[in-house]
Amino acid sequence: MPIRYETEGPVAIFTIENGAVNPTTPAMHKELHTALTRFLRDPEIRCGILTGAGERAFCAGDDIKSPRRDMTPEEQLSDHLWPHATEGEAPHDFSWSRDVIAMERFKPIIGAVNGWCLGMGLIYLLTLTDLRIASTSARFGFPEVAYGMGGAGGSTRLLRQMPPTAAMWMLLTGDPMTAEEAERAFLVNRVVPPERLMEEARALAAKISRHPPAAVRVEMEASYRAQDLGRAEAIAFTKHLYRLQRLGLAGGGDLLEGGFMYRREKQD
């Protein structure tokens, strides 16, 4: 499968695996959606790692040569209003990528980037990962503007993740950014030699996985939702989540996490 999903104890690893530069196809977007759903529903999995196979690329973006079904304007409109309604067994376009981006997720994923990370690959890095480690060979970019396909900055809210001038330089020039430049612009957390990339990602995932899952869930949800709230609403919302979390801890009780119950481990 071009999207390989495997688990190592409490950590899940998503690997984009499709040839030398790992371009994404319509079927791969659907596979990724299925793998993410599995990841989010598994109470034993505490953290994920998203990476690309090989040394040349994390993901070079959508494969524009992927075969698509010819549709009339009416069929295109219907497909936009009711996605996947007529696709059958195999997706006929890239619409599953929208479903992936729109997924609500409060379980952490670490990006591990080696080589090129372009277009849809960078969109997935920005929307599906919370912490990022890059190898020294990593390169990041949105070349779409040169082909009349702008809009990535809005769909990824790139200006929230990077200084505006750095983000607009990437978006408007189409020029790639080196790993060192990405670290300075806070696009990635750390840059390491290629041979240490997965070692560093696994160590970080293991560290996060040792924390109580409810605390990680509350930290993520409070942080991400508060970005779209006013100050008073953000404080009230965070306080509410905090109280629910403490109630779950009181008396050594169970912790609620995404509909699943976890027994709190006794502390020495």
Side-chain angles (χ1 to χ4, degrees):
M1 299 289 281
I3 299 295
R4 177 157 43 97
Y5 179 80
E6 53 196 340
T7 59
E8 298 177 358
V11 177
I13 301 178
F14 304 81
T15 305
I16 304 169
E17 192 172 37
N18 186 27
V21 295
N22 300 318
T24 45
T25 65
M28 290 171 67
H29 293 305
K30 186 175 182 180
E31 289 173 19
L32 182 56
H33 188 277
T34 300
L36 283 164
T37 300
R38 180 179 173 187
F39 166 73
L40 293 172
R41 290 179 177 175
D42 190 340
E44 301 302 321
I45 301 301
R46 307 291 182 85
C47 188
I49 298 172
L50 177 64
T51 192
E55 299 179 357
R56 287 187 59 188
F58 171 84
C59 173
D62 277 333
D63 185 354
I64 59 175
K65 296 180 181 179
S66 295
R68 306 190 198 187
R69 190 186 76 186
D70 292 331
M71 293 189 291
T72 65
E74 291 77 13
E75 288 175 327
Q76 292 181 38
L77 176 60
S78 176
D79 190 65
H80 178 74
L81 295 174
W82 296 281
H84 321 308
T86 63
E87 72 181 15
E89 290 296 322
H92 55 255
D93 62 17
F94 291 94
S95 59
W96 276 97
S97 63
R98 298 195 299 265
D99 297 69
V100 172
I101 294 170
M103 292 181 78
E104 186 173 72
R105 177 184 58 82
F106 299 116
K107 188 179 284 190
I109 298 178
I110 299 161
V113 183
N114 202 22
W116 291 100
C117 180
L118 302 174
M120 197 67 224
L122 183 50
I123 289 175
Y124 275 158
L125 185 76
L126 291 165
T127 57
L128 295 181
T129 67
D130 311 284
L131 299 170
R132 298 163 197 147
I133 300 173
S135 79
T136 51
S137 69
R139 298 292 183 271
F140 306 86
F142 283 123
E144 291 91 338
V145 68
Y147 304 94
M149 298 185 292
S155 64
T156 61
R157 296 190 173 185
L158 186 62
L159 272 70
R160 284 191 173 188
Q161 301 194 39
M162 297 170 61
T165 51
M168 295 310 294
W169 186 286
M170 174 187 285
L171 293 169
L172 297 181
T173 67
D175 292 342
M177 180 178 287
T178 67
E180 291 75 16
E181 289 170 335
E183 185 179 29
R184 288 198 298 270
F186 302 101
L187 180 63
V188 301
N189 298 91
R190 187 174 299 171
V191 177
V192 300
E195 64 272 15
R196 285 180 46 204
L197 179 65
M198 290 306 294
E199 176 188 344
E200 293 279 341
R202 283 184 169 93
L204 181 57
K207 183 174 186 177
I208 293 171
S209 298
R210 289 193 290 269
H211 296 316
V216 174
R217 159 67 190 250
V218 168
E219 195 65 71
M220 288 188 65
E221 185 166 7
S223 297
Y224 283 129
R225 291 199 189 280
Q227 292 184 81
D228 296 315
L229 298 175
R231 178 170 172 77
E233 291 81 6
I235 291 173
F237 176 69
T238 302
K239 186 185 295 183
H240 177 67
L241 289 182
Y242 177 80
R243 284 173 174 168
L244 289 176
Q245 178 186 200
R246 299 309 296 173
L247 284 171
L249 287 169
D254 291 326
L255 303 177
L256 181 63
E257 163 78 6
F260 297 99
M261 301 302 292
Y262 295 87
R263 174 64 61 179
R264 185 181 66 159
E265 297 179 0
K266 293 182 178 179
Q267 301 296 320
D268 293 332

